[in-house]
Amino acid sequence: GAVVSQHPSRVICKSGTSVKIECRSLDFQATTMFWYRQFPKKSLMLMATSNEGSKATYEQGVEKDKFLINHASLTLSTLTVTSAHPEDSSFYICSARKSGGGTDTQYFGPGTRLTVL
Amino acid sequence: ILNVEQSPQSLHVQEGDSTNFTCSFPSSNFYALHWYRWETAKSPEALFVMTLNGDEKKKGRISATLNTKEGYSYLYIKGSQPEDSATYLCAFSTSGTYKYIFGTGTRLKVLA
């Protein structure tokens, strides 16, 4: 087990619209989920840590009002890119850490490619 | 700023060749080093998590070693096969946090 799904896999939207990306742990509970962003030829960069039932913790330089994160259940976290602009175009990927596990292994979704026109 | 470096960025090998990559990470506040295998359009797959200096892990033809004192880990693939073609990522996590700091990955292409 330890499967994480992410939807949609690809989205194209107009500038000014909001886009929601879902991250689900399919066969385990995840108290903590993480959202990453990858720029071309760069490493995965942590945007925020999402904790079930509490506010997300954002990394330095990440606008919390631009990237809204909700972790309403132990199997679902959502990232909403609000009023998207072309510079928000990127690859976004989530991961989940098993609740109660002794390891800090993160299990990843397949990612979402966002293109803002 | 904590930085994780991976080398080489990419390489091509012939089927049957053995190969290895390097991951360099800060040696202070070390908690764990993770290796992932990432095929295009799929989720990164966890290969190894290593925590102790001198750790060696093996999974089939893939193995990894860890040196926390000098801050590096090697990933070895023995007898490479075309299905080993993927990007191999390493990630470092520090004591007291579950956050990962990733390297940029090594893109491996195994030619049949």
Side-chain angles (χ1 to χ4, degrees), chain A residues 65-85:
Chain A
D65 295 330
K66 160 68 85 175
F67 300 101
L68 299 179
I69 290 171
N70 186 287
H71 192 158
S73 78
L74 286 172
T75 59
L76 174 64
S77 176
T78 60
L79 168 69
T80 301
V81 183
T82 61
S83 187
H85 290 285

Side-chain angles (χ1 to χ4, degrees), chain A residues 17-114:
Chain A
T17 60
S18 294
V19 175
K20 181 187 281 188
I21 303 169
E22 291 189 347
C23 178
R24 293 181 186 273
S25 54
L26 299 184
D27 52 2
F28 66 98
Q29 293 186 329
T31 308
T32 307
M33 291 184 171
F34 303 87
W35 287 95
Y36 294 84
R37 180 174 180 176
Q38 186 180 36
F39 292 99
K41 298 189 179 182
K42 299 289 186 183
S43 58
L44 297 177
M45 287 188 56
L46 181 65
M47 298 174 65
T49 303
S50 167
N51 296 294
E52 187 267 336
S54 64
K55 288 183 179 180
T57 304
Y58 290 81
E59 295 301 300
Q60 194 171 12
V62 178
E63 298 176 60
K64 61 181 181 181
D65 295 330
K66 160 68 85 175
F67 300 101
L68 299 179
I69 290 171
N70 186 287
H71 192 158
S73 78
L74 286 172
T75 59
L76 174 64
S77 176
T78 60
L79 168 69
T80 301
V81 183
T82 61
S83 187
H85 290 285
E87 58 265 28
D88 299 323
S89 297
S90 194
F91 184 78
Y92 295 88
I93 190 168
C94 70
S95 69
R97 180 179 170 271
K98 283 186 178 181
S99 299
T103 175
D104 73 333
T105 298
Q106 295 179 23
Y107 299 93
F108 284 82
T112 297
R113 172 74 58 191
L114 170 64

Side-chain angles (χ1 to χ4, degrees), chain B:
Chain B
I1 297 176
L2 299 174
N3 210 29
V4 177
E5 303 277 350
Q6 286 189 251
S7 63
Q9 282 190 332
S10 67
L11 77 162
H12 293 77
V13 301
Q14 289 294 132
E15 183 176 358
D17 287 351
S18 294
T19 187
N20 64 86
F21 333 127
T22 306
C23 173
S24 301
F25 54 87
S27 53
S28 59
N29 293 324
F30 176 85
Y31 179 71
L33 193 283
H34 304 258
W35 281 101
Y36 286 84
R37 179 173 175 273
W38 194 5
E39 290 183 75
T40 304
K42 295 186 178 179
S43 301
E45 173 197 356
L47 289 175
F48 305 114
V49 53
M50 295 186 287
T51 57
L52 299 176
N53 184 44
D55 250 357
E56 289 189 32
K57 294 280 179 86
K58 189 174 181 183
K59 188 177 183 179
R61 294 179 290 99
I62 305 177
S63 60
T65 60
L66 179 67
N67 183 321
T68 59
K69 293 183 179 178
E70 295 182 39
Y72 65 83
S73 175
Y74 293 137
L75 186 81
Y76 301 90
I77 302 179
K78 186 177 178 182
S80 302
Q81 299 296 309
E83 57 265 29
D84 296 328
S85 298
T87 296
Y88 291 83
L89 296 174
C90 71
F92 156 84
S93 56
T94 57
S95 302
T97 176
Y98 297 122
K99 297 179 184 180
Y100 284 11
I101 299 168
F102 276 93
T104 51
T106 292
R107 190 177 301 115
L108 172 67
K109 177 75 173 176
V110 181
L111 305 170

